[in-house]
Amino acid sequence: MAGCGRVRRAGAAEPDRAPSPDLPDPSKSDSIDALAAARAALTEPDLPAARHDPASKDLKLLVDHRVHLVAERTCLLNRLRWHVHQLRPELDLPLLSLHRKPAPSRVRQALETADAGLQNVFHRRH
């Protein structure tokens, strides 16, 4: 998702080394599964092609759309959390706090005490 990169909080521990794309992840079996599927296709040429029926295709589209919406919501909430942190660093908003009902009123209360100029910028942009 463009524009929704991860931002490390100040003072957060440095992450361990990123996994190497050259080394297979031992917990993943994708390459093993792909090899098995290729061997089956070569030895059984009459295998039927995998196709979605109309109902499963609709369901797949809905599930894919939901996954996209959840990712977009997470991106927006993280951005909002970062803006609130910039305005009120002392306001502690745990990672999942904006997913719960009391969060909007808590954020609104915190922003009501923010500098009037910052409030105008924030309200105009969002």
Side-chain angles (χ1 to χ4, degrees), residues 50-97:
R51 286 191 171 67
H52 284 288
D53 62 12
S56 69
K57 184 176 182 178
D58 289 346
L59 185 59
K60 180 187 181 328
L61 290 172
L62 287 171
V63 169
D64 289 348
H65 185 63
R66 182 185 182 281
V67 167
H68 174 77
L69 290 175
V70 168
E72 188 173 351
R73 178 189 66 178
T74 300
C75 182
L76 292 171
L77 288 175
N78 286 341
R79 187 176 301 131
L80 173 62
R81 186 170 176 256
W82 179 247
H83 287 306
V84 170
H85 174 73
Q86 288 178 318
L87 294 172
R88 287 281 180 249
E90 70 278 2
L91 181 65
D92 181 35
L93 290 176
L95 284 173
L96 296 177
S97 65

Side-chain angles (χ1 to χ4, degrees), residues 25-56:
D25 184 350
S27 66
K28 300 286 185 177
S29 64
D30 294 345
S31 60
I32 296 169
D33 295 344
L35 181 60
R39 284 182 178 158
L42 289 173
T43 59
E44 301 288 335
D46 296 329
L47 288 174
R51 286 191 171 67
H52 284 288
D53 62 12
S56 69

